[in-house]
């Protein structure tokens, strides 16, 4: 497939080479076909995981680390694709993931289907430009249709929000605990949401996710504050304090060890004692400076030595040492405190406030919970689960669900899932296609078919007959009142998805459609791939890998 870099010959027949040695080039139909094949391959990789009855993937990296997941973005990430067109698709899908968290697989599979249908048209001699413009027109109709169909959702519709969270969770391994998790998700998002003007705004960075393997998913809990994965440093310290005034210290409360080997000569035992006392006093002086502010809690990023520990214990102070920097930053945000690195400068203004701080047992370990902080928008979700891999997958599922609920609160519009919208759009497109006419009409119809393929894949993954069910669903949609009918993937028949509670943010579907159309048209527009040769540094090991693009980042 790698042709030479020759673009012209002189009248004498001498080839003129304008590219660097080792470059390769594919162009024309060959390039289009190669890119289409790559996009289809990515789709194939995700297809079987699509929908609530999709399968999971086990991904093993080069070090042997195993990830078990159903999360589209994670699968694409771990697959580490090399083909340039495949990479392009992944980039677009990831853009989708950042924008709306959920819907990654919808985007990738849909663009795979669009490209597949385009391939058929290419065989029928429809020019890519015509296909692209037909797809663009169809996209407009699709987005328009979603807008017309969408129902408004308010932040107070707790029940609806829970259904939306559950729909997002239903395709993940945690589906068994989805009611419980959905409840936490909705509570968390509504807690951090704030009204700006007449729009709701959600900053998910306010929600900390803390993971601890052990227990079961149903031990996962929402904490109205921050969880620090450390224990109270000294047994003599209180384990629970109300009205905590918290000093956040990024300095060590230990005797400074000299950087270089130093020798201290002491001739008489009393001198020795004096020296030790002096050291102790220095530490106590530091601690006193902190306590003078009125602090009764110290969270320290560095060490706290034994002298300081027992001194603090005597004063009834609760202290934690070697807290993570990120924990300190979170605590600062939550409690309204400031992280102090120079103890000489600490003052009362630097202290944070929380109504309760308590060390609690979580499984085998102890963790410190800081609750009722000054900023009520700082909250945490503590994820539990039998296996570490399950805990990780729960985190991914949780993040998707948080994103989904945040989307719908921000945007205020929802639609029914389970294929309802896809079928409704396809119906509209088939009515619209004759208006477009010409060969473009074929592209509009192809777009409708690609949308329906999404539904077929959902049905196939559930083990039912896609042809039969799709026919039934189409005819159900002939009736205007049945716009929310999709496929019940457990019973294998058309049902009203809204009533069934399979509900999604309009934004997720809209973004997936936009991302998929963008990726597909981008790929179709490319008819020339010029790849630089491998960077020097030895012979090229894999001759087939010549079209791997060189990347600077
Ligand atoms: N209980 C359900 N019944 C039918 N369809 C569902 C159900 N739950 C989710 N879906 C559908 O599954 C699709 C999402 O599948 P998913 O694997 O989560 O992919 P994505 O990465 O695109 O979110 C959507 O079309 C959604 O409507
Ligand atoms: Mg999903």
């Amino acid at each position: 497939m790698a042709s030479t870099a020759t673009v012209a010959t002189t009248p004498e027949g001498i080839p003129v080479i304008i590219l660097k040695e080792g470059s390769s080039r594919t162009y024309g139909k060959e390039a289009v076909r190669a890119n289409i094949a790559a996009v289809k391959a990515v789709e194939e990789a995700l297809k079987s995981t699509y929908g609530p009855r999709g399968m999971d993937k086990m991904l093993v990296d080069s070090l042997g680390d195993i990830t078990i997941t159903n999360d589209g973005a994670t699968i694409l990430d771990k697959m580490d694709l090399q083909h340039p067109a495949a990479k392009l698709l992944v980039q677009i899908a990831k853009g989708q993931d950042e924008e709306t968290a959920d819907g990654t697989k919808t985007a990738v599979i849909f663009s795979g289907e669009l490209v597949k249908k385009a391939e058929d048209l290419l065989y029928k001699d429809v020019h890519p430009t015509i296909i692209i413009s037909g797809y663009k027109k169809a996209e407009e109709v699709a987005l328009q249709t979603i807008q017309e169909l969408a129902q408004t959702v308010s932040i107070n519709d707790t029940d609806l929000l829970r259904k939306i969270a559950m729909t997002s969770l239903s395709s993940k391994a945690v589906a068994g605990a989805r009611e419980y998790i959905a409840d936490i998700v909705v509570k968390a998002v509504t807690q951090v949401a704030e009204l700006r003007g007449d729009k709701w705004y959600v900053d998910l960075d306010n929600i900390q996710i803390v993971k601890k393997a052990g227990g079961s998913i149903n031990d996962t809990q929402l904490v109205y504050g921050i969880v620090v994965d450390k224990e109270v440093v000294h047994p003599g310290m209180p384990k629970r304090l109300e009205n905590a005034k918290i000093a956040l210290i990024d300095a060590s409360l230990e005797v400074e060890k000299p950087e270089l080997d130093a020798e201290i000569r002491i001739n008489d035992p009393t001198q020795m004692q004096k020296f030790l006392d002096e050291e102790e006093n220095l530490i106590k002086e530091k601690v006193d400076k902190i306590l003078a502010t009125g602090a009764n809690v110290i969270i320290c990023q560095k060490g706290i030595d034994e002298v300081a520990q027992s001194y603090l214990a005597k004063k009834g102070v609760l202290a934690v040492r070697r807290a993570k920097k990120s924990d300190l930053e979170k605590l600062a945000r939550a409690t309204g405190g400031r992280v102090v690195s120079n103890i000489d400068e600490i003052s009362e203004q630097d202290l944070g406030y929380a109504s309760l701080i308590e060390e609690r047992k979580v499984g085998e370990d102890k963790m410190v919970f800081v609750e009722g902080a000054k900023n009520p928008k700082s909250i945490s979700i503590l994820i539990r689960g039998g296996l570490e891999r399950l805990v990780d997958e729960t985190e991914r599922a949780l993040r998707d669900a948080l994103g989904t609920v945040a989307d719908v609160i921000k945007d205020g519009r929802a639609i029914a899932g389970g294929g309802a919208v896809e079928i409704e759009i396809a119906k509209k497109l088939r009515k619209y296609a004759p208006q477009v006419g010409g060969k473009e009409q074929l592209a509009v119809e192809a777009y409708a078919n690609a949308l329906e393929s999404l539904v077929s894949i959902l049905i196939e993954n559930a083990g039912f007959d896609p042809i039969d069910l799709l026919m039934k669903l189409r005819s159900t949609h002939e009736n205007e009142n049945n716009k929310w009918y999709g496929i019940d993937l457990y019973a294998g028949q058309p049902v009203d998805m809204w009533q069934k509670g399979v509900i999604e943010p309009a934004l997720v579907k809209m973004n997936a459609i936009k991302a998929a159309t963008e990726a597909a048209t981008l790929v179709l527009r490319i008819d020339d791939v010029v790849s630089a040769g491998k960077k020097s540094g030895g012979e090229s090991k894999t001759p087939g890998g010549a079209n791997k693009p060189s990347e600077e980042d």
Side-chain angles (χ1 to χ4, degrees):
M1 91 181 225
S3 63
T4 61
T6 315
V7 289
T9 46
T10 61
E12 295 78 33
I14 300 166
V16 179
I17 297 166
I18 60 160
L19 295 173
K20 217 161 80 181
E21 199 184 344
S23 304
S24 69
R25 184 171 174 203
T26 40
Y27 53 86
K29 284 192 175 152
E30 200 190 331
V32 179
R33 298 251 153 79
N35 287 336
I36 286 178
V39 171
K40 284 201 305 197
V42 181
E43 182 202 346
E44 272 318 306
L46 285 188
K47 220 169 152 179
S48 70
T49 65
Y50 190 48
R53 303 202 66 187
M55 310 294 274
D56 289 351
K57 275 201 190 297
M58 183 189 262
L59 302 149
V60 186
D61 71 11
S62 54
L63 296 171
D65 267 349
I66 297 171
T67 308
I68 296 173
T69 186
N70 182 283
D71 186 64
T74 309
I75 298 170
L76 293 174
D77 207 38
K78 304 266 176 199
M79 287 203 310
D80 193 20
L81 298 161
Q82 288 302 335
H83 191 282
K87 275 188 162 175
L88 201 77
L89 178 59
V90 171
Q91 265 168 20
I92 290 172
K94 282 213 181 130
Q96 157 85 4
D97 194 55
E98 269 150 37
E99 205 152 316
T100 47
D102 207 1
T104 324
K105 280 179 273 173
T106 306
V108 171
I109 295 173
F110 185 40
S111 84
E113 291 299 323
L114 283 175
V115 155
K116 244 189 233 173
K117 308 282 188 263
E119 196 179 22
D120 297 342
L121 293 177
L122 287 175
Y123 278 118
K124 289 183 193 153
D125 267 340
V126 182
H127 194 272
T129 316
I130 304 285
I131 304 176
I132 291 167
S133 75
Y135 277 7
K136 288 274 179 208
K137 283 182 182 160
E139 180 193 15
E140 248 168 61
V141 174
L143 297 176
Q144 182 71 36
T145 309
I146 294 180
Q147 273 163 6
E148 284 163 16
L149 288 171
Q151 312 263 305
T152 48
V153 183
S154 110
I155 189 166
N156 301 317
D157 295 335
T158 311
D159 196 42
L160 199 57
L161 295 179
R162 288 186 57 208
K163 286 176 181 161
I164 291 168
M166 283 203 281
T167 302
S168 168
L169 290 165
S170 65
S171 55
K172 303 289 204 281
V174 297
R178 67 187 216 267
E179 281 187 38
Y180 180 72
I181 301 285
D183 203 38
I184 290 180
V185 166
V186 172
K187 280 190 182 140
V189 179
T190 47
Q191 176 77 16
V192 303
E194 42 189 305
L195 196 57
R196 290 190 185 164
D198 59 349
K199 281 255 172 206
W200 283 95
Y201 176 83
V202 180
D203 183 1
L204 290 179
D205 285 342
N206 280 317
I207 304 174
Q208 315 305 327
I209 293 188
V210 186
K211 298 183 280 184
K212 196 93 206 165
S216 86
I217 289 185
N218 289 312
D219 297 323
T220 297
Q221 51 171 300
L222 179 62
V223 179
Y224 289 91
I226 301 288
V227 182
V228 182
D229 190 358
K230 289 279 174 222
E231 48 186 278
V232 172
V233 71
H234 191 278
M237 287 178 176
K239 297 283 177 320
R240 181 193 153 94
L241 275 179
E242 281 173 21
N243 293 322
K245 291 192 209 121
I246 308 166
L248 303 165
I249 307 289
D250 174 20
S252 114
L253 294 177
E254 288 170 322
V255 176
E256 304 284 342
K257 303 234 164 42
E259 297 247 335
L260 299 165
D261 271 345
E263 206 178 33
I264 302 164
R265 286 176 194 272
I266 293 170
N267 302 324
D268 116 47
T270 56
Q271 240 180 339
M272 177 70 190
Q273 194 51 46
K274 233 171 114 192
F275 177 74
L276 291 177
D277 288 350
E278 192 56 35
E279 274 196 341
E280 209 175 303
N281 284 338
L282 277 173
I283 283 292
K284 283 186 178 163
E285 222 172 86
K286 272 195 198 174
V287 172
D288 280 336
K289 268 186 197 137
I290 299 174
L291 298 188
T293 60
N296 54 7
V297 173
I298 296 179
I299 311 281
C300 186
Q301 197 184 321
K302 307 247 164 77
I304 302 178
D305 69 13
E306 268 167 41
V307 175
Q309 282 175 26
S310 54
Y311 186 60
L312 285 167
K314 252 181 242 151
K315 301 251 173 187
V317 172
L318 186 160
V320 171
R321 70 171 164 182
R322 303 201 195 287
K324 279 189 285 184
K325 188 174 170 75
S326 58
D327 280 343
L328 240 63
E329 282 161 4
K330 282 177 217 160
L331 282 166
R333 239 162 73 142
T335 65
R338 203 177 66 89
V339 179
V340 175
S341 39
N342 182 355
I343 292 173
D344 288 330
E345 287 172 3
I346 194 168
S347 78
E348 202 188 331
Q349 274 85 27
D350 297 321
L351 301 184
Y353 177 83
S355 61
L356 176 70
I357 181 162
E358 184 175 29
E359 180 189 82
R360 290 180 201 148
K361 225 172 157 204
V362 176
E364 297 294 294
D365 296 316
K366 289 172 186 152
M367 294 173 129
V368 172
F369 289 66
V370 182
E371 291 179 343
K374 204 174 205 166
N375 174 8
K377 299 213 179 300
S378 267
I379 57 176
S380 308
I381 297 174
L382 174 60
I383 302 178
R384 306 297 316 281
L387 287 169
E388 208 176 307
R389 289 191 186 102
L390 185 62
V391 173
D392 287 344
E393 179 68 349
T394 307
E395 180 188 359
R396 288 187 282 266
L398 198 71
R399 285 193 192 279
D400 272 16
L402 288 169
T404 305
V405 174
D407 279 340
V408 86
I409 287 177
K410 283 190 273 189
D411 181 59
R413 290 176 299 172
I415 51 171
V421 168
E422 286 84 346
I423 298 297
E424 195 63 22
I425 299 173
K427 186 178 98 180
K428 283 260 162 68
L429 284 175
R430 290 207 178 89
K431 283 203 185 117
Y432 166 72
Q435 277 167 251
V436 178
K439 285 189 173 173
E440 233 175 61
Q441 171 176 353
L442 299 177
V444 174
E445 278 158 3
Y447 198 95
N449 292 338
L451 273 169
E452 285 187 343
S453 297
L454 283 174
V455 190
S456 295
I457 295 168
L458 284 178
I459 299 172
E460 236 173 83
N461 286 346
F464 298 108
D465 176 14
I467 297 173
D468 174 47
L469 279 181
L470 205 58
M471 292 273 276
K472 274 193 193 150
L473 193 55
R474 269 191 197 164
S475 66
T476 318
H477 272 256
E478 291 304 318
N479 183 336
E480 289 291 321
N481 298 325
N482 293 345
K483 60 174 188 188
W484 286 145
Y485 268 66
I487 298 291
D488 180 335
L489 296 171
Y490 297 87
Q493 62 196 34
V495 291
D496 187 314
M497 283 292 152
W498 193 275
Q499 256 152 40
K500 191 112 184 61
V502 178
I503 301 171
E504 297 171 312
L507 212 57
V508 170
K509 198 70 87 188
M510 286 168 75
N511 277 337
I513 285 178
K514 281 188 215 163
T517 313
E518 188 190 335
T521 52
L522 209 60
V523 164
L524 290 173
R525 201 174 282 133
I526 299 167
D527 77 338
D528 194 355
V529 179
V530 182
S531 312
K534 280 247 175 78
K535 284 264 165 65
S536 58
E539 309 288 303
S540 167
K541 280 162 266 160
T542 46
N547 55 351
K548 180 181 171 178
S550 67
E551 258 189 346
E552 241 46 83
D553 54 1

